[in-house]
RNA sequence: GGCGGCAUAGCCAAGUGGUAAGGCAGAGGUCUGCAACACCUUCACCACCAGUUCAAAUCUGGUUGUCGCCU
């Protein structure tokens, strides 16, 4: 099955390019974004609106309530089915988004067969609170020294996951990771794919991000977040950890001013973009398209993608 | 014009004789069931000139800049 991926850091214009491309090659779009899955998070996640979608079908948007938690395992299997459906209808799926972790999971069909039957996570979390991270890490060194050499002791979240994995499966997660990783190194994918990442010079990207945040504010970001805030949801929910949401909460609690909160939001978005770039540079191997060199012209960019994907036949 | 204070990284800021805390911003990374998460690494010859001293960001003199007060 042929698929096209368009990734890249936030604010590079993925939406516009993908819709344009979809029209040219008779495609449908699957969003590869860990936050756009949630209903009610529209402005802050830069979700495409009806007009921007321009008649192209989009999937994986607004499929969960903020009270539900998305996970890679679920996301991967859902997208897998969608790809089959779309292909079966004779259309090409374009996967678009910035969540590199999810993209790799789909692209290389990461194995998530592990069934979580016992709540080891809660167990180890409790242990951590009682004995601290050193003791927790010592446990990992015992059962999975290889992971212990990779995961920093401060990274409690990952240490707990590694411990959970071992307890659940009886073999170390480092073994699992190695197996999954080699799929990427050897490029073993169930799909016939072409993977692009849009990018541009750092300075340009950062000023676009700053401008976009201002625009979001103008478009009612505060109003959107206030609605969520007023629902009184648990702030630890994955949806409320999204950039644009967690930053504004202190404003509604009266802890920070509007301007302060906006500056932090801009900074966090910049950092996020930087992390995304690092991911695409090292954890996957897309063809980078420098959109500033193409004058941000989505028409040109879409055509470049068609050429590089050998899709001329469409 | 006079008097006084201050000049330390992009910003804030400790440090009053022994060869520069910390925070923020920035940069570089890690990552396989919370990933827009979590975590790691990194970043200065202390305004300039001359002097004292084995040794100065730290003391002395001067220059420049800056802030405050006075006239």
């Amino acid at each position: 099955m042929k698929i096209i991926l368009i990734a890249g850091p936030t604010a590079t214009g993925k939406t516009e390019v993908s819709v344009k491309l979809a029209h040219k090659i008779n495609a449908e779009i699957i969003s590869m974004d860990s936050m756009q899955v949630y209903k009610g998070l529209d402005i802050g996640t830069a979700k495409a609106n009806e007009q921007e979608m321009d008649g192209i079908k989009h999937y994986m948007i607004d499929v969960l309530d903020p009270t539900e938690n998305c996970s890679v395992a679920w996301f991967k299997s859902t997208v897998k089915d969608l790809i089959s459906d779309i292909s079966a209808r004779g259309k090409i799926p374009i996967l678009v988004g910035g969540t590199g972790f999810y993209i790799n999971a789909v692209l290389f069909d990461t194995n998530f067969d592990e069934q979580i039957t016992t709540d080891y996570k809660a167990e180890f979390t409790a242990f951590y609170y009682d004995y601290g991270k050193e003791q927790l890490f010592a446990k990992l060194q015992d059962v999975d020294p290889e992971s212990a050499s990779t995961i920093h002791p401060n990274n409690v979240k990952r240490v707990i996951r590694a411990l959970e994995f071992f307890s659940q499966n009886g073999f170390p997660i480092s073994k699992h990771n190695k197996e999954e990783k080699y799929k990427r190194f050897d490029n073993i994918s169930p799909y016939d794919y072409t993977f692009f990442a849009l990018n541009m010079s750092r300075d340009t990207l950062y000023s676009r991000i700053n401008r976009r945040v201002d625009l979001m504010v103008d478009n009612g970001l505060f109003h959107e977040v206030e609605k969520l805030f007023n629902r009184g949801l648990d702030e630890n929910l994955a949806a409320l950890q999204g950039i644009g949401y967690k930053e504004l909460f202190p404003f509604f609690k009266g802890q920070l001013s509007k301007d302060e909160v906006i500056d932090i939001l801009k900074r966090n978005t910049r950092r996020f973009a930087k992390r995304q770039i690092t991911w695409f540079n090292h954890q996957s191997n897309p063809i980078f398209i420098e959109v500033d060199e193409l004058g941000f012209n989505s028409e040109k960019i879409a055509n470049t993608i068609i050429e590089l994907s050998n899709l001329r036949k469409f």
Side-chain angles (χ1 to χ4, degrees), chain A residues 178-242:
Chain A
K178 218 183 292 168
E179 283 164 9
E180 297 307 314
K181 217 172 222 171
Y182 108 99
K183 290 185 189 168
R184 173 161 68 82
F185 294 143
D186 293 354
N187 200 19
I188 299 173
S189 170
Y191 305 109
D192 172 15
Y193 72 91
T194 331
F195 185 179
F196 300 93
L198 308 188
N199 199 20
M200 67 184 76
S201 83
R202 192 65 65 92
D203 287 350
T204 311
L205 181 61
Y206 281 4
S207 54
R208 275 172 72 100
I209 285 171
N210 293 340
R211 221 178 314 134
R212 186 155 88 155
V213 168
D214 287 332
L215 217 65
M216 286 177 176
V217 171
D218 290 346
N219 290 336
L221 181 64
F222 277 78
H223 183 65
E224 175 172 300
V225 179
E226 188 172 23
K227 268 195 282 184
L228 282 165
F229 179 75
N230 288 339
R231 282 179 67 177
L233 302 171
D234 179 354
E235 282 182 45
N236 294 316
L237 286 170
L240 301 189
Q241 290 305 308

Side-chain angles (χ1 to χ4, degrees), chain A residues 131-147:
Chain A
Y131 299 97
K133 56 180 115 170
E134 285 79 15
Q135 296 294 308
L136 184 76
F137 189 69
K139 269 179 182 293
L140 183 64
Q141 285 175 311
D142 262 3
V143 301
D144 184 358
E146 197 166 338
S147 287

Side-chain angles (χ1 to χ4, degrees), chain A residues 21-260:
Chain A
L21 178 65
H23 277 297
K24 288 174 185 284
I25 65 171
N26 188 30
E28 294 186 344
I29 291 175
I30 302 175
S31 158
M32 300 298 283
D33 188 296
S34 66
M35 288 296 147
Q36 294 192 358
V37 294
Y38 297 111
K39 293 171 193 155
L41 315 207
D42 301 331
I43 300 170
T45 62
K47 223 175 256 175
N49 58 36
E50 195 125 343
Q51 195 190 357
E52 289 165 327
M53 290 186 188
D54 195 21
I56 299 295
K57 270 230 168 81
H58 280 65
Y59 301 90
M60 294 313 274
I61 290 176
D62 289 340
V63 290
L64 295 177
D65 187 81
T67 53
E68 300 175 286
N69 273 349
C70 185
S71 87
V72 220
W74 171 80
F75 195 95
K76 185 207 100 176
S77 74
T78 311
V79 169
K80 228 175 138 177
D81 292 344
L82 283 169
I83 291 174
S84 300
D85 288 352
I86 295 169
S87 300
R89 293 202 316 271
K91 295 199 168 195
I92 295 185
I94 306 178
L95 316 206
V96 183
T99 307
F101 186 41
Y102 289 7
I103 290 173
N104 280 16
V106 170
L107 207 47
F108 302 109
D109 198 23
T110 305
N111 184 339
F112 296 113
D113 289 345
E114 170 198 7
Q115 292 300 315
I116 297 174
T117 51
T118 312
D119 201 350
Y120 290 111
K121 191 168 283 179
E123 214 171 278
F124 289 118
T125 304
F127 181 88
Y128 161 62
Y129 285 131
D130 291 344
Y131 299 97
K133 56 180 115 170
E134 285 79 15
Q135 296 294 308
L136 184 76
F137 189 69
K139 269 179 182 293
L140 183 64
Q141 285 175 311
D142 262 3
V143 301
D144 184 358
E146 197 166 338
S147 287
S149 71
T150 317
I151 305 172
H152 190 99
N154 285 351
N155 202 345
V156 173
K157 209 165 173 173
R158 295 273 143 79
V159 174
I160 290 179
R161 164 91 264 255
L163 286 167
E164 174 192 42
F165 188 96
F166 183 82
S167 302
Q168 188 64 244
N169 300 290
F171 66 92
I173 195 171
S174 48
K175 180 168 178 282
H176 170 263
N177 290 169
K178 218 183 292 168
E179 283 164 9
E180 297 307 314
K181 217 172 222 171
Y182 108 99
K183 290 185 189 168
R184 173 161 68 82
F185 294 143
D186 293 354
N187 200 19
I188 299 173
S189 170
Y191 305 109
D192 172 15
Y193 72 91
T194 331
F195 185 179
F196 300 93
L198 308 188
N199 199 20
M200 67 184 76
S201 83
R202 192 65 65 92
D203 287 350
T204 311
L205 181 61
Y206 281 4
S207 54
R208 275 172 72 100
I209 285 171
N210 293 340
R211 221 178 314 134
R212 186 155 88 155
V213 168
D214 287 332
L215 217 65
M216 286 177 176
V217 171
D218 290 346
N219 290 336
L221 181 64
F222 277 78
H223 183 65
E224 175 172 300
V225 179
E226 188 172 23
K227 268 195 282 184
L228 282 165
F229 179 75
N230 288 339
R231 282 179 67 177
L233 302 171
D234 179 354
E235 282 182 45
N236 294 316
L237 286 170
L240 301 189
Q241 290 305 308
I243 294 170
Y245 301 89
K246 63 166 181 281
E247 288 83 3
L248 299 209
F249 273 53
F251 169 75
F252 293 109
K253 291 183 196 156
Q255 295 163 343
L256 292 176
S257 74
K258 196 163 184 171
D259 285 345
E260 286 172 319

Side-chain angles (χ1 to χ4, degrees), chain A residues 277-303:
Chain A
I277 293 168
T278 303
W279 177 283
F280 296 125
N281 272 328
H282 298 273
Q283 306 295 325
S284 57
N285 46 343
I287 301 166
F288 281 96
I289 297 180
E290 302 298 324
V291 298
D292 47 351
E293 289 168 15
L294 293 174
F296 303 100
N297 184 324
S298 56
E299 178 79 22
K300 257 193 212 168
I301 299 165
N303 286 334

